[in-house]
Amino acid sequence: MHTTITPFTLTHWKERRRGEPTQWGWQGTSPEFGDIRVVHPAAPHRRERVVTEVRGGLIPTGTFEARGIHTEGMSRPSLNRATLRLGDGLVQLSRNRWALTHGGRSLRMRYLGDDYRLTAIDRKSYTLSRIADGEDPGVVLTVRQSGRGKSKRMTVQAAGRVLHADIALAALFAGVDRSVLTRRGAVRAGFSRIFDLWAESQY
């Protein structure tokens, strides 16, 4: 556990190899936790299965996997029908799809007795909070995306006593489709799924 950590940056990367799907993600170095790399797709891309992974440094390896027809052609796994694993443990997931506010739509997680909330700031940025007592956050990590194209980057800052799992979760969600954490994003995602299902029915 670290009382404070130095803010660090994850930069966007993309790699193409002949005969293999293009991989992309985020990578950078935390002075306290070492090299961190987010990879997508982290497993052979198959219909109805999409996986993003985070690993490196002193953090536990994490995987976020989405399954279902909705994953066809997705660039990142969505929060729908998802499974999150961190180290050797399974992270419990829940969210209120009908909430009106960003806070109400937060993704709630429970891992090794700790409660977390992933909350959208806007379309590109988010916070990860570990709840220490009741509703009070023990730590808040803020992840903000900036730049475009090859200059895209994610800046990670934290307030509170940070655990290795906190850093892994905060970085992992940089490679996950978080659009449904906002009402506008959920509407866009819904229309996109309807269009995809209609297009598939035409063949």
Side-chain angles (χ1 to χ4, degrees), residues 56-67:
L58 300 176
I59 65 172
T61 297
T63 59
F64 193 96
E65 177 180 333
R67 289 179 177 268

Side-chain angles (χ1 to χ4, degrees), residues 121-175:
I121 297 174
D122 53 36
R123 186 168 60 89
K124 296 183 178 181
S125 305
Y126 56 95
T127 62
L128 176 78
S129 304
R130 176 163 40 80
I131 310 303
D133 182 20
E135 295 294 313
D136 297 326
V139 63
V140 178
L141 291 94
T142 302
V143 184
R144 294 186 182 275
Q145 181 178 329
S146 59
R148 295 183 177 182
K150 295 182 179 179
S151 66
K152 285 193 301 185
R153 58 189 179 274
M154 290 282 198
T155 302
V156 183
Q157 296 179 296
R161 298 174 65 85
V162 180
L163 302 176
H164 299 76
D166 303 341
I167 297 295
L169 289 171
L172 178 61
F173 280 101

Side-chain angles (χ1 to χ4, degrees), residues 67-170:
R67 289 179 177 268
I69 295 175
H70 72 282
T71 64
E72 180 70 12
M74 287 178 55
S75 62
R76 295 172 295 172
S78 76
L79 300 184
N80 297 318
R81 298 188 62 182
T83 301
L84 172 56
R85 292 182 173 84
L86 198 60
D88 296 326
L90 185 67
V91 181
Q92 299 175 25
L93 306 174
S94 65
R95 61 188 175 91
N96 182 355
R97 300 166 184 260
W98 311 109
L100 301 179
T101 65
H102 286 192
R105 299 185 70 86
S106 296
L107 176 66
R108 297 169 183 261
M109 296 170 277
R110 187 167 181 80
Y111 174 68
L112 298 182
D114 288 325
D115 291 311
Y116 290 88
R117 291 180 189 168
L118 182 77
T119 306
I121 297 174
D122 53 36
R123 186 168 60 89
K124 296 183 178 181
S125 305
Y126 56 95
T127 62
L128 176 78
S129 304
R130 176 163 40 80
I131 310 303
D133 182 20
E135 295 294 313
D136 297 326
V139 63
V140 178
L141 291 94
T142 302
V143 184
R144 294 186 182 275
Q145 181 178 329
S146 59
R148 295 183 177 182
K150 295 182 179 179
S151 66
K152 285 193 301 185
R153 58 189 179 274
M154 290 282 198
T155 302
V156 183
Q157 296 179 296
R161 298 174 65 85
V162 180
L163 302 176
H164 299 76
D166 303 341
I167 297 295
L169 289 171

Side-chain angles (χ1 to χ4, degrees), residues 5-86:
I5 66 165
T6 307
F8 62 93
T9 299
L10 301 174
T11 57
H12 191 263
W13 64 271
K14 182 179 290 187
E15 186 176 86
R16 294 183 176 89
R17 294 182 180 180
R18 177 175 294 183
E20 297 181 10
T22 298
Q23 286 188 314
W24 63 269
W26 304 88
Q27 61 186 5
T29 302
S30 161
E32 290 80 19
F33 292 92
D35 295 335
I36 296 171
R37 186 175 174 88
V38 180
V39 180
H40 171 77
H45 190 105
R46 299 199 302 266
R47 180 181 174 85
E48 301 183 10
R49 179 173 182 261
V50 187
V51 182
T52 290
E53 178 186 84
V54 64
R55 65 166 56 244
L58 300 176
I59 65 172
T61 297
T63 59
F64 193 96
E65 177 180 333
R67 289 179 177 268
I69 295 175
H70 72 282
T71 64
E72 180 70 12
M74 287 178 55
S75 62
R76 295 172 295 172
S78 76
L79 300 184
N80 297 318
R81 298 188 62 182
T83 301
L84 172 56
R85 292 182 173 84
L86 198 60

